[in-house]
Amino acid sequence: MDSRTLSHLRALEAESIHIMREVVAEFAKPVMLYSIGKDSSVMIRLAQKAFHPGKLPFPLLHVDTTYKFEEMIAFRDEFTKSIGADLIVHTNRKAIEEGASPFKLGTGKCCALLKTRALLDALEEGGYDAAFGGARRDEEKSRAKERVFSFRDKFGQWDPKTQRPELWNLYNSKVEKGESIRVFPLSNWTEMDVWSYIELENIPIVPLYFAKEREMVVRGNQLIPLEHNMPLAAGEEPQLVMSRMRSLGCTYCTGAIRSEAATMPDIITELVQFRRSERENRIIDHDQEGSMELKKREGYF
Amino acid sequence: MSASQLLRFSTAGSVDDGKSTLIGRLLYEAKGVYEDQMASIRKSTINRSTGPIDFSLLTDGLRAEREQGITIDVAYRYFATPKRKFIIADTPGHEQYTRNMATGASTADLAIVLIDARKGVLPQSRRHAYIASLLGIPYIAVAVNKMDLVDFSQSVFDQIQADFSAYAKEIGLKNLSFFPISALDGDNIVEPSKRTPWYKGTPLLDHLESVPVAEDRNYKELRFPVQYVIRPTLDFRGYAGQLASGLLRPGDEVMSLPAGRITRVKEIPSFDGPIAEAFPPMSITVVLEDEIDLSRGDMLVDPNYVPHVSRRFAAKLVWMLDDNGEPNRTYLLKHATQTVPAEIRRIRHRVDINTLENIPAEQLALNEIAAVVMETRRPLYFDSYAKNRAMGAFILIDPISNLTVAAGMIEESTPDVVEPLQLRNLEFTGEAVETATSNQLTNAERYTRAGHYPATVWLTARRGVAYLLERRLFDLGCQVHVLADDSESHLLPELSRVLSNAGLIAICSIASPDPAERDRAAGFAAANRFLEVPAKELPARDEDAVEVVIKRLEDLGVLRRKDRFERGEGI
C-alpha cells in the first residue's frame, strides 16, 4: 500500500471527523446522543480527535430508561467524568411514575414512552438543532438509505420521501426553527469496523461486551439478563451462562449471546466467524417486519 | 484487517438487469449477509422470482419500495474481503432517477454498469455511462450479465464490448473493463467461470480488489478549505478541515484566500501527536506561523498553484427537484466550506441524456442536466471539477424550502462563456486620448509629470509582491496603484484601463490566472505597456520578486533605469 493511502479505518475516521466539524460549524446548538454502547464510545473518540486540543464543543445526552444495566451506568459516570465531558441525563419520569415498564407494557409501547418520547422531549427542552447518533447503515435494512444528515420535522419525525439528496461531502444543514437534523457520523462503518477501531485505538468500553458467566433466563433462542426484577414465566429458572452482550440496550430487550470471547482479539475472531447480524438479539426489531422503519418515522433514532 | 483499503463503487442498472441480484451475490460471497437476514428474506411474504433464494431481496430496503418491487433511493451496502472494504452506493436505474444515480456516483471510485446480455447496450446503459462520466468516476466496470441466457456466447459479449467502447469514447469515459457474468449462478464473480473459456480476464471481485484507488489523487496543488476554527485557549488557534488536495508539512509556504497573505505552516497537531505530512483526504488541524485571522470558508492554497477566484463560472447542473430551476432566482450555493447566495445567470443549453444533443432551455426540470453560467454574491475559490473533484463540486439549496435542488460541477471557463460584465454609465472605447483639443491634457504632459510611461502589471497570486512593488515604485517617485479586489476581479481590465489613461502604473493583483480577463486587460494596453509575470517566474522572497518586476519594467522602457531615477532625469 502506498504510504500516502489511508487504511480503510483511517479513511472512515477522516470522513467522520469532517462530518462532526461540519455540524459544529453550521448548527447553533448540537448535542451528542450517548448510549454508553460501543458505537457511542467510538463517536466520542472521533469527537475528541475532531476538536483536539479543545474539549467536546457539545454536551452528551443520555436517555436513561432506568432499565439499563448497572454496569452501564457506572461506566457512563466514570468515563464521561474522565474525559471532562458535559453529561445530561434525561428520563421520562412521568411515564415511569405512571408505571411504564417493559414487563407491563410490552416492548413496543415501553420503547415509545421511555426512549422515543423521552428523547424527543429532551431534544425539545434543550433546544438542540442537531443531534449526533451512532447508528450505522449496516445495522438494519431501513437504515441502508438513511442520510448522514437526516432531516426531522418539528415533531422529530422522519419521512423517507423528504430526505435530501446527499452528494460528495457537501451536507445541507439548512433547517427552520423547531426542525432539526439527526447526524450519523458512523453511517459508513460496519460492526467489524467499530470493533477493529476500538482495538486499534484502545478505546474503553463497558465490560458487558466481554464474555463471563452471567445469570440469564433462557427463553427460546434468547438469553435475557436477570436484572430489574424481571418476572419469570412458570417453570423458568435463572441459569449461569458463559455469555456476553453484542449490543447494549435495556436489560430486558438486550438478549445476550453465548460466547467465550473475553478479550478484544477474541471478539474480533468471533465476529469473523459470526453469521448472525448484531441486532438479532434486539427484541424490538423483530416485533414486525420493517418495524425499525415504523419506529424511525415516529422519531426513534 | 486494519491495513486494508477502502473502495467506494456505485452500481447502476435497470429494473431487470439483475443489479440487486449481483449485489446480493457479492454480499453473500463475501459473507456480508448474516444468517438472520437470510432467514428474514426466506420468510418475506413477497417473493418475486422463482429459484431457491432471491438475492435481490437482501438489498431492497424500505417497505414502500418492497411493496412496489422497485428501489427508489440510493442505498448503501458494505462488505469486506481481506484486501479491501467496499462501500456500494446502490442506485436505481429508472429514467426518472438520474438524481439518485448522480448522488451515488458523486463519491464513487468506480462504477459497475450492468448490461443485460440479451438486450445489449440500451439507452439506459448509455445514460448510466454518461452520468458516470459527468460525475467523474475514475474507473468503469461493465458487467455483461445473464450470460447464462445467451449460452455464454463470446460474440454476444464482444459485440456489447465494441458498442459500449464506441459510446464511451464519444463521452470521454476512461479505464473501462468488461466482465461476462451470471449474477444468478455466480459465473466470473469470485471464481473464473468454466463456462467462459474464451474470457482471459479476471473475475469481477478480483478487479474490485485490485483497481488502484488513489492513483489519480492530486498531491501537488494544495487546497485546504477552512472548515472550523479551534480556539480552546487564547494561545492556540488551529484551522480545522479536510485536505482536498496537495500535501501539507510543517514549514510549507501557504497562501490564504481571500486575503492573499503568505505564511508558513507551524505545525499540524493531532490527538495522536504531531503529523509530519498530511495528505488527502485526511481531516487535520493546521497552526500557522503568523497570526493571521482566517475563518470558515477561507482557504489555504499553494502560492504557486492558486485556484480560480471568481464570482462567475460555467458549470453543469443536475436538477434534483420537481420544482423547476430558473435563471435569476436566488439559491444558496454550497462549495467546499462556503455557502453563498447565487443565481443561475444563464442556461446555455440542456443536454439530452439519450442523444447527447444540446437543446435550448429556459428552465430546468427534475432529472434534467444543463450547462449554465453561475454567478455568486461572493467569490468562490475553485478548480474545474475535471481537474479536482472536491474543488469543483457544489450543491444548490432552495432558501425557502431548504431542499437540495441541484448538484453542480464547475467547468473550465472560456471567454465566450463568461462574458465581461456590462458597466453602467461607463464606456471603454479602447482608443487612447492622443490629440489635444483646446485645453485638454495630452498624454505627453501626463507622462512628463509622472516621469514614466503608464503600464498595466498583471500579477497572479503573491498579493504581498503587489503591495511591496507599489511601495517600491512609489518611493522611486512613480504614480502607481494596486488593483486587488477579488470580489470584482472581472472589472480589473476596465479599471486598469482607466488608471493607464490617467498615466498611472496599474498593478493588477489577481489571485488566479483567468485567461479571459488577462486577454482583455492586455487588449486595452499597448503591446509594450502590458507586463505579465507568472507566479512561477518570481523568486520566493517578495523583495527579490519585486526586483524582477522592476527589471522587466525597465526592459520594456516603462521606467527609467534606476540609476537615472536617482539622477532625476526625465523619461
Side-chain angles (χ1 to χ4, degrees), chain B residues 332-368:
Chain B
L332 293 172
L333 184 152
K334 185 167 185 183
H335 169 264
T337 54
Q338 267 211 100
T339 304
V340 299
E343 289 174 14
I344 301 169
R345 183 53 61 224
R346 182 156 74 83
I347 300 177
R348 295 162 65 205
H349 53 79
R350 190 163 76 69
V351 180
D352 184 312
I353 192 170
N354 295 312
T355 62
L356 298 185
E357 273 178 311
N358 295 341
I359 301 163
E362 306 274 304
Q363 289 194 321
L364 278 175
L366 176 63
N367 292 314
E368 286 186 344

Short mmCIF file of all heavy atoms in Angstrom, two decimals, chain B residues 332-368:
data_model
loop_
_atom_site.label_atom_id
_atom_site.label_comp_id
_atom_site.label_asym_id
_atom_site.label_seq_id
_atom_site.Cartn_x
_atom_site.Cartn_y
_atom_site.Cartn_z
N LEU B 332 -29.01 29.11 -2.55
CA LEU B 332 -27.79 29.08 -1.75
C LEU B 332 -26.86 28.07 -2.39
O LEU B 332 -27.28 26.95 -2.70
CB LEU B 332 -28.09 28.68 -0.31
CG LEU B 332 -28.90 29.69 0.48
CD1 LEU B 332 -29.31 29.11 1.82
CD2 LEU B 332 -28.09 30.97 0.68
N LEU B 333 -25.62 28.47 -2.61
CA LEU B 333 -24.66 27.57 -3.23
C LEU B 333 -23.64 27.15 -2.18
O LEU B 333 -23.01 28.00 -1.55
CB LEU B 333 -23.99 28.29 -4.41
CG LEU B 333 -23.01 27.48 -5.27
CD1 LEU B 333 -22.99 28.06 -6.69
CD2 LEU B 333 -21.62 27.44 -4.70
N LYS B 334 -23.52 25.84 -1.97
CA LYS B 334 -22.51 25.35 -1.02
C LYS B 334 -21.37 24.71 -1.79
O LYS B 334 -21.58 23.76 -2.54
CB LYS B 334 -23.13 24.35 -0.03
CG LYS B 334 -22.11 23.94 1.05
CD LYS B 334 -22.75 23.20 2.21
CE LYS B 334 -21.70 22.92 3.29
NZ LYS B 334 -22.24 22.16 4.42
N HIS B 335 -20.18 25.28 -1.60
CA HIS B 335 -18.98 24.80 -2.28
C HIS B 335 -17.88 24.71 -1.23
O HIS B 335 -17.65 25.68 -0.50
CB HIS B 335 -18.59 25.80 -3.37
CG HIS B 335 -17.23 25.54 -3.97
ND1 HIS B 335 -16.11 26.21 -3.54
CD2 HIS B 335 -16.82 24.69 -4.94
CE1 HIS B 335 -15.06 25.78 -4.23
NE2 HIS B 335 -15.47 24.87 -5.08
N ALA B 336 -17.20 23.58 -1.14
CA ALA B 336 -16.19 23.36 -0.10
C ALA B 336 -16.81 23.74 1.24
O ALA B 336 -17.83 23.16 1.63
CB ALA B 336 -14.91 24.12 -0.40
N THR B 337 -16.27 24.75 1.95
CA THR B 337 -16.86 25.09 3.24
C THR B 337 -17.57 26.45 3.21
O THR B 337 -17.82 27.06 4.23
CB THR B 337 -15.78 25.11 4.35
OG1 THR B 337 -14.73 25.98 3.94
CG2 THR B 337 -15.21 23.72 4.56
N GLN B 338 -17.87 26.91 1.99
CA GLN B 338 -18.56 28.19 1.85
C GLN B 338 -20.00 28.01 1.40
O GLN B 338 -20.26 27.18 0.53
CB GLN B 338 -17.88 29.00 0.73
CG GLN B 338 -16.80 29.92 1.18
CD GLN B 338 -16.73 31.14 0.26
OE1 GLN B 338 -17.23 32.20 0.59
NE2 GLN B 338 -16.10 30.99 -0.88
N THR B 339 -20.91 28.80 1.93
CA THR B 339 -22.27 28.83 1.41
C THR B 339 -22.59 30.28 1.06
O THR B 339 -22.50 31.16 1.92
CB THR B 339 -23.27 28.30 2.45
OG1 THR B 339 -22.86 26.98 2.84
CG2 THR B 339 -24.67 28.22 1.88
N VAL B 340 -22.90 30.53 -0.20
CA VAL B 340 -23.14 31.91 -0.65
C VAL B 340 -24.41 31.97 -1.51
O VAL B 340 -24.76 31.01 -2.18
CB VAL B 340 -21.95 32.44 -1.51
CG1 VAL B 340 -20.67 32.45 -0.70
CG2 VAL B 340 -21.76 31.60 -2.77
N PRO B 341 -25.09 33.11 -1.47
CA PRO B 341 -26.24 33.27 -2.38
C PRO B 341 -25.75 33.25 -3.82
O PRO B 341 -24.67 33.78 -4.12
CB PRO B 341 -26.80 34.65 -2.00
CG PRO B 341 -26.26 34.94 -0.64
CD PRO B 341 -24.91 34.27 -0.59
N ALA B 342 -26.53 32.65 -4.70
CA ALA B 342 -26.10 32.51 -6.09
C ALA B 342 -27.31 32.48 -7.01
O ALA B 342 -28.42 32.17 -6.59
CB ALA B 342 -25.30 31.22 -6.26
N GLU B 343 -27.04 32.81 -8.26
CA GLU B 343 -28.09 32.73 -9.27
C GLU B 343 -27.58 31.99 -10.48
O GLU B 343 -26.38 32.00 -10.75
CB GLU B 343 -28.51 34.14 -9.71
CG GLU B 343 -29.29 34.88 -8.66
CD GLU B 343 -29.56 36.33 -9.07
OE1 GLU B 343 -29.39 36.66 -10.26
OE2 GLU B 343 -29.94 37.10 -8.19
N ILE B 344 -28.52 31.35 -11.18
CA ILE B 344 -28.17 30.83 -12.50
C ILE B 344 -28.27 32.05 -13.41
O ILE B 344 -29.36 32.59 -13.59
CB ILE B 344 -29.15 29.75 -12.96
CG1 ILE B 344 -29.16 28.59 -11.95
CG2 ILE B 344 -28.81 29.26 -14.35
CD1 ILE B 344 -30.30 27.60 -12.20
N ARG B 345 -27.15 32.52 -13.92
CA ARG B 345 -27.18 33.72 -14.74
C ARG B 345 -27.81 33.40 -16.10
O ARG B 345 -28.58 34.18 -16.65
CB ARG B 345 -25.74 34.26 -14.88
CG ARG B 345 -25.53 35.52 -15.62
CD ARG B 345 -26.35 36.71 -15.14
NE ARG B 345 -26.13 37.11 -13.77
CZ ARG B 345 -27.13 37.43 -12.94
NH1 ARG B 345 -28.39 37.34 -13.32
NH2 ARG B 345 -26.88 37.81 -11.72
N ARG B 346 -27.50 32.22 -16.61
CA ARG B 346 -27.93 31.91 -17.97
C ARG B 346 -27.91 30.39 -18.14
O ARG B 346 -26.99 29.73 -17.66
CB ARG B 346 -26.91 32.55 -18.91
CG ARG B 346 -27.12 32.44 -20.37
CD ARG B 346 -26.38 33.61 -21.05
NE ARG B 346 -24.92 33.46 -21.09
CZ ARG B 346 -24.28 32.74 -22.01
NH1 ARG B 346 -24.94 32.08 -22.94
NH2 ARG B 346 -22.96 32.67 -21.99
N ILE B 347 -28.94 29.85 -18.78
CA ILE B 347 -28.89 28.43 -19.16
C ILE B 347 -28.37 28.38 -20.58
O ILE B 347 -29.02 28.89 -21.50
CB ILE B 347 -30.29 27.76 -19.07
CG1 ILE B 347 -30.83 27.84 -17.64
CG2 ILE B 347 -30.21 26.30 -19.53
CD1 ILE B 347 -32.23 27.26 -17.48
N ARG B 348 -27.18 27.84 -20.76
CA ARG B 348 -26.61 27.80 -22.11
C ARG B 348 -27.36 26.80 -22.97
O ARG B 348 -27.73 27.08 -24.10
CB ARG B 348 -25.13 27.45 -22.05
CG ARG B 348 -24.32 28.54 -21.33
CD ARG B 348 -22.99 28.02 -20.88
NE ARG B 348 -22.15 27.67 -22.01
CZ ARG B 348 -21.17 26.77 -21.93
NH1 ARG B 348 -20.92 26.14 -20.82
NH2 ARG B 348 -20.41 26.52 -22.99
N HIS B 349 -27.57 25.61 -22.40
CA HIS B 349 -28.38 24.61 -23.08
C HIS B 349 -28.62 23.45 -22.14
O HIS B 349 -27.94 23.31 -21.13
CB HIS B 349 -27.71 24.10 -24.36
CG HIS B 349 -26.30 23.60 -24.13
ND1 HIS B 349 -26.04 22.37 -23.60
CD2 HIS B 349 -25.10 24.18 -24.34
CE1 HIS B 349 -24.74 22.20 -23.50
NE2 HIS B 349 -24.14 23.29 -23.92
N ARG B 350 -29.58 22.63 -22.49
CA ARG B 350 -29.86 21.42 -21.76
C ARG B 350 -29.19 20.29 -22.53
O ARG B 350 -28.97 20.40 -23.74
CB ARG B 350 -31.38 21.26 -21.75
CG ARG B 350 -31.96 20.24 -20.88
CD ARG B 350 -33.46 20.54 -20.72
NE ARG B 350 -34.23 20.18 -21.92
CZ ARG B 350 -34.45 18.93 -22.32
NH1 ARG B 350 -33.92 17.91 -21.70
NH2 ARG B 350 -35.19 18.69 -23.39
N VAL B 351 -28.85 19.19 -21.84
CA VAL B 351 -28.24 18.06 -22.55
C VAL B 351 -29.26 16.92 -22.57
O VAL B 351 -29.75 16.50 -21.54
CB VAL B 351 -26.96 17.57 -21.83
CG1 VAL B 351 -26.35 16.38 -22.59
CG2 VAL B 351 -25.96 18.71 -21.71
N ASP B 352 -29.59 16.46 -23.76
CA ASP B 352 -30.45 15.28 -23.85
C ASP B 352 -29.57 14.08 -23.55
O ASP B 352 -28.65 13.76 -24.30
CB ASP B 352 -31.08 15.16 -25.24
CG ASP B 352 -32.03 13.98 -25.30
OD1 ASP B 352 -31.64 12.87 -24.85
OD2 ASP B 352 -33.16 14.14 -25.80
N ILE B 353 -29.89 13.43 -22.46
CA ILE B 353 -29.01 12.37 -21.97
C ILE B 353 -29.02 11.15 -22.88
O ILE B 353 -28.09 10.36 -22.90
CB ILE B 353 -29.39 12.02 -20.51
CG1 ILE B 353 -28.33 11.16 -19.86
CG2 ILE B 353 -30.76 11.44 -20.44
CD1 ILE B 353 -28.55 10.99 -18.39
N ASN B 354 -30.05 11.02 -23.71
CA ASN B 354 -30.11 9.87 -24.62
C ASN B 354 -29.35 10.11 -25.92
O ASN B 354 -28.68 9.23 -26.43
CB ASN B 354 -31.57 9.52 -24.93
CG ASN B 354 -32.30 9.06 -23.69
OD1 ASN B 354 -31.79 8.20 -22.95
ND2 ASN B 354 -33.45 9.63 -23.43
N THR B 355 -29.47 11.34 -26.44
CA THR B 355 -28.86 11.62 -27.75
C THR B 355 -27.61 12.47 -27.62
O THR B 355 -26.89 12.66 -28.59
CB THR B 355 -29.85 12.39 -28.63
OG1 THR B 355 -30.15 13.64 -27.98
CG2 THR B 355 -31.15 11.61 -28.81
N LEU B 356 -27.34 13.00 -26.41
CA LEU B 356 -26.25 13.93 -26.14
C LEU B 356 -26.40 15.25 -26.88
O LEU B 356 -25.46 16.03 -26.99
CB LEU B 356 -24.88 13.32 -26.46
CG LEU B 356 -24.47 12.08 -25.67
CD1 LEU B 356 -23.05 11.67 -26.03
CD2 LEU B 356 -24.56 12.32 -24.17
N GLU B 357 -27.59 15.51 -27.41
CA GLU B 357 -27.81 16.77 -28.12
C GLU B 357 -27.96 17.93 -27.14
O GLU B 357 -28.50 17.75 -26.05
CB GLU B 357 -29.11 16.68 -28.92
CG GLU B 357 -28.92 16.11 -30.30
CD GLU B 357 -30.27 16.00 -31.02
OE1 GLU B 357 -31.24 15.46 -30.43
OE2 GLU B 357 -30.33 16.48 -32.15
N ASN B 358 -27.49 19.09 -27.57
CA ASN B 358 -27.70 20.30 -26.78
C ASN B 358 -29.00 20.96 -27.22
O ASN B 358 -29.20 21.22 -28.40
CB ASN B 358 -26.55 21.28 -26.99
CG ASN B 358 -25.25 20.71 -26.47
OD1 ASN B 358 -25.25 19.78 -25.65
ND2 ASN B 358 -24.14 21.26 -26.92
N ILE B 359 -29.88 21.20 -26.25
CA ILE B 359 -31.19 21.73 -26.56
C ILE B 359 -31.38 23.05 -25.81
O ILE B 359 -31.09 23.12 -24.62
CB ILE B 359 -32.29 20.73 -26.12
CG1 ILE B 359 -32.07 19.39 -26.86
CG2 ILE B 359 -33.69 21.26 -26.37
CD1 ILE B 359 -32.80 18.24 -26.24
N PRO B 360 -31.86 24.09 -26.49
CA PRO B 360 -32.10 25.36 -25.78
C PRO B 360 -33.12 25.16 -24.67
O PRO B 360 -34.04 24.36 -24.82
CB PRO B 360 -32.67 26.29 -26.86
CG PRO B 360 -32.44 25.61 -28.15
CD PRO B 360 -32.27 24.16 -27.89
N ALA B 361 -32.94 25.84 -23.55
CA ALA B 361 -33.87 25.66 -22.43
C ALA B 361 -34.01 26.94 -21.65
O ALA B 361 -33.06 27.72 -21.52
CB ALA B 361 -33.40 24.54 -21.53
N GLU B 362 -35.21 27.19 -21.15
CA GLU B 362 -35.48 28.36 -20.31
C GLU B 362 -35.49 27.97 -18.84
O GLU B 362 -35.27 28.78 -17.97
CB GLU B 362 -36.88 28.93 -20.64
CG GLU B 362 -37.10 29.23 -22.10
CD GLU B 362 -36.60 30.61 -22.45
OE1 GLU B 362 -37.06 31.56 -21.80
OE2 GLU B 362 -35.72 30.71 -23.34
N GLN B 363 -35.81 26.70 -18.60
CA GLN B 363 -35.97 26.20 -17.24
C GLN B 363 -35.31 24.84 -17.13
O GLN B 363 -34.98 24.22 -18.11
CB GLN B 363 -37.47 25.99 -16.95
CG GLN B 363 -38.24 27.28 -16.82
CD GLN B 363 -39.59 27.01 -16.20
OE1 GLN B 363 -40.22 26.00 -16.50
NE2 GLN B 363 -40.02 27.89 -15.32
N LEU B 364 -35.17 24.39 -15.89
CA LEU B 364 -34.61 23.06 -15.65
C LEU B 364 -35.61 22.24 -14.86
O LEU B 364 -36.03 22.64 -13.77
CB LEU B 364 -33.34 23.18 -14.83
CG LEU B 364 -32.09 23.50 -15.62
CD1 LEU B 364 -30.93 23.70 -14.68
CD2 LEU B 364 -31.82 22.36 -16.58
N ALA B 365 -35.97 21.07 -15.38
CA ALA B 365 -36.93 20.21 -14.67
C ALA B 365 -36.19 19.06 -14.01
O ALA B 365 -35.02 18.81 -14.29
CB ALA B 365 -37.96 19.69 -15.67
N LEU B 366 -36.91 18.38 -13.13
CA LEU B 366 -36.35 17.25 -12.38
C LEU B 366 -35.60 16.29 -13.31
O LEU B 366 -36.12 15.92 -14.36
CB LEU B 366 -37.50 16.51 -11.68
CG LEU B 366 -37.13 15.23 -10.91
CD1 LEU B 366 -36.18 15.54 -9.77
CD2 LEU B 366 -38.38 14.56 -10.39
N ASN B 367 -34.41 15.92 -12.89
CA ASN B 367 -33.57 14.96 -13.61
C ASN B 367 -32.99 15.47 -14.92
O ASN B 367 -32.44 14.70 -15.69
CB ASN B 367 -34.31 13.64 -13.84
CG ASN B 367 -34.55 12.91 -12.54
OD1 ASN B 367 -33.64 12.80 -11.71
ND2 ASN B 367 -35.76 12.45 -12.33
N GLU B 368 -33.13 16.77 -15.17
CA GLU B 368 -32.50 17.32 -16.36
C GLU B 368 -31.08 17.75 -16.06
O GLU B 368 -30.74 18.11 -14.93
CB GLU B 368 -33.32 18.49 -16.91
CG GLU B 368 -34.58 18.00 -17.59
CD GLU B 368 -35.38 19.10 -18.28
OE1 GLU B 368 -35.15 20.30 -18.02
OE2 GLU B 368 -36.25 18.74 -19.07
#
